[in-house]
Amino acid sequence: MLITDDFLPVPVPESLDATYLVPIEGLPRVSPKTAVEGLAGRLAAPVHGLAKQMLDSPLMSVDTRTVDEFPELPPDLLAAFGATEEQLARLAAATHLVVVQAEYRPGWPPAHEWAARAVAAAVAETVGGDVVDVFGLQFLDPAAALRSLPDEHGRIRLVDWVLVPYSSDADGLWFTTKGLRRFGLLELQAQGVPDHLTRAWGAVMTGAARRLLRDWTDGLAGEEVPAFVQLPVLATVTGHDIAVAYGNPEQHGATAPVLLRLELDPATDPDADSFLSLNPPPGHPGPPGRYFAAACATLFNGIQPDVRYTRTGDAMSRAVATARSALGDIRARFLAGGLPEESQLVVKYGLPGDEGPEYVWAGVTSWDAPERIVGASATDANSDPSVRIGSPVVVEASDVVDWAVLDGTGVLEGGWTQAVLDAGERGEG
């Protein structure tokens, strides 16, 4: 095996496995085969065929066990990864678990994950229940699980399979991925990320995961599974990588690429995970956070990670660009008291949700730091129960897609995205 300073040899596991659960009260009413047959025409034909083939092979098992026969799932961790009170209540009331397990070699396609998730979703539909992804400790409703599977061209949204949690320490934010091990690749991490880059850097991590996963699966394309795959030490991440990871390949990501240096961080504890660390490239002066901020500024020059990459040139994209180009000016006027008397400045920003971002408005109460806006929510959010009318919110300026100045008569200034929506409802354009 050739090892150079330009490549990092990453070990390949011998096999991969996936486990999904369907909590139920009583016993399932139909067999897994019957449930999967019911997905005909709703799943892309290759994935439907794969699920049926795996179900008939020794590579997959589907068992019904009593709840006591399976290790307890930690409710606190499930809640941390998005479980609702209703989902946790159904889990607590369950008497049995349908356990779907599959095994496959590393490479593409990840047949173990696709087939196991498809079978579990099919079973959950028949019982009106949930799917629990054991690897991600996530609840999925059957419809969401099915939507995450490949389309007829084999495309997926990586964000449906890889999470990017973060936590705070003395040096800033510590980001990791959770999901690359599904594909045999080590998880990524980045440390010392500035606090105000939570969503932007999460998108960069997702784009980096997409780029490295492509290199990883290219290295596994042969008939024999190698012991190592050599990944480039200097990984290039582009706006296109991020757009594809979010399921929007039409956004070409016409921004300059950024370089990230890959470093293996092996675990010293046999029960802990090893990581691939993302660092600034050699020769970059100053702390890592400075480079990470510059990388975000480069990649999101005119593209906002939570706007779902609307098509460049369409009316909504132009509206967002217009609003964002005037953010600095409206902040200066707000701070100088230059807005009309008895008016209110509001901003529109995105909250993450299962169906994509939910855009809500907040009234601005203070805007001392350019990158952070303090305000009060002007609407109730469906995706976040803590965001209610009047509740305090802190909005990252990088998440703002529109702003408006309001008085008792309506919009005095701004509101470009709302104008586009209103024009669409009237059938204009």
Side-chain angles (χ1 to χ4, degrees):
M1 178 180 62
L2 177 65
I3 300 177
T4 73
D5 292 339
D6 297 327
F7 292 92
L8 182 70
V10 179
V12 180
E14 294 183 1
S15 65
L16 301 172
D17 59 78
T19 301
Y20 289 84
L21 309 177
V22 181
I24 56 175
E25 294 187 62
L27 297 174
R29 297 188 294 270
V30 299
S31 70
K33 286 186 179 181
T34 302
V36 171
E37 287 291 346
L39 297 179
R42 298 171 54 202
L43 276 183
V47 182
H48 190 227
L50 175 65
K52 292 195 295 182
Q53 291 171 15
M54 290 282 283
L55 194 54
D56 286 333
S57 79
L59 296 173
M60 177 179 284
S61 64
V62 182
D63 303 308
T64 301
R65 307 180 193 175
T66 63
V67 170
D68 295 337
E69 295 179 79
F70 199 87
E72 182 181 4
L73 296 171
D76 54 341
L77 286 179
L78 289 167
F81 284 104
T84 65
E85 292 183 4
E86 293 78 8
Q87 289 168 331
L88 293 174
R90 287 194 290 270
L91 176 62
T95 60
H96 292 77
L97 297 171
V98 178
V99 183
V100 182
Q101 295 179 301
E103 182 179 0
Y104 202 64
R105 56 161 278 176
W108 200 265
H112 59 297
E113 282 286 353
W114 290 356
R117 186 174 285 199
V119 172
V123 172
E125 275 200 335
T126 66
V127 299
D130 307 298
V131 176
V132 180
D133 170 14
V134 173
F135 177 90
L137 282 178
Q138 275 192 300
F139 272 89
L140 302 170
D141 68 73
L146 294 174
R147 283 195 302 272
S148 71
L149 294 167
D151 63 15
E152 62 275 11
H153 302 293
R155 298 174 301 197
I156 61 169
R157 296 187 338 146
L158 193 60
V159 290
D160 292 329
W161 298 87
V162 176
L163 304 175
V164 186
Y166 63 89
S167 58
S168 181
D169 59 27
D171 298 322
L173 298 177
W174 174 38
F175 279 78
T176 61
T177 60
K178 185 176 178 59
L180 288 177
R181 282 197 297 113
R182 300 179 190 272
F183 312 106
L185 182 57
L186 297 178
E187 303 291 357
L188 306 181
Q189 69 172 359
Q191 295 175 287
V193 179
D195 290 350
H196 69 279
L197 296 178
T198 51
R199 293 189 182 178
W201 188 253
V204 174
M205 291 280 287
T206 306
R210 183 260 173 182
R211 171 57 65 100
L212 291 171
L213 183 59
R214 189 181 66 176
D215 294 337
W216 174 254
T217 54
D218 285 347
L220 296 171
E223 292 185 7
E224 297 294 327
V225 177
F228 295 86
V229 167
Q230 295 203 70
L231 296 178
V233 169
L234 288 180
T236 302
V237 182
T238 67
H240 180 70
D241 291 318
I242 298 172
V244 172
Y246 279 81
N248 293 274
E250 69 273 7
Q251 168 59 49
H252 54 73
T255 56
V258 299
L259 290 176
L260 294 169
R261 178 171 54 87
L262 209 59
E263 182 178 334
L264 179 61
D265 184 11
T268 55
D269 183 342
D271 295 327
D273 292 330
S274 297
F275 286 97
L276 292 173
S277 294
L278 298 178
N279 300 301
H284 174 73
R290 185 180 302 169
Y291 182 80
F292 297 153
C296 290
T298 297
L299 288 170
F300 302 128
N301 180 21
I303 303 173
Q304 296 309 310
D306 250 16
V307 184
R308 293 290 170 179
Y309 306 96
T310 52
R311 290 181 182 271
T312 302
D314 67 14
M316 186 60 76
S317 182
R318 291 194 299 271
V320 172
T322 300
R324 289 197 52 78
S325 68
L327 269 182
D329 177 70
I330 195 63
R331 173 177 178 263
R333 290 166 55 197
F334 172 80
L335 293 176
L339 299 181
E341 291 185 3
E342 299 184 359
S343 67
Q344 169 71 54
L345 174 62
V346 295
V347 293
K348 185 180 185 180
Y349 64 105
L351 292 171
D354 291 339
E355 302 296 329
E358 177 187 7
Y359 295 106
V360 294
W361 291 90
V364 178
T365 56
S366 64
W367 197 347
D368 296 334
E371 67 275 6
R372 190 163 299 165
I373 304 166
V374 178
S377 182
T379 48
D380 290 342
N382 294 321
S383 56
D384 188 341
S386 69
V387 178
R388 292 291 179 264
I389 293 177
S391 64
V393 292
V394 178
V395 179
E396 303 294 334
S398 59
D399 292 336
V400 173
V401 297
D402 202 357
W403 58 265
V405 178
L406 310 177
D407 71 1
T409 64
V411 177
L412 297 178
E413 186 178 353
W416 293 273
T417 63
Q418 192 62 47
V420 172
L421 294 174
D422 292 342
E425 292 177 356
R426 295 191 300 267
E428 298 174 11

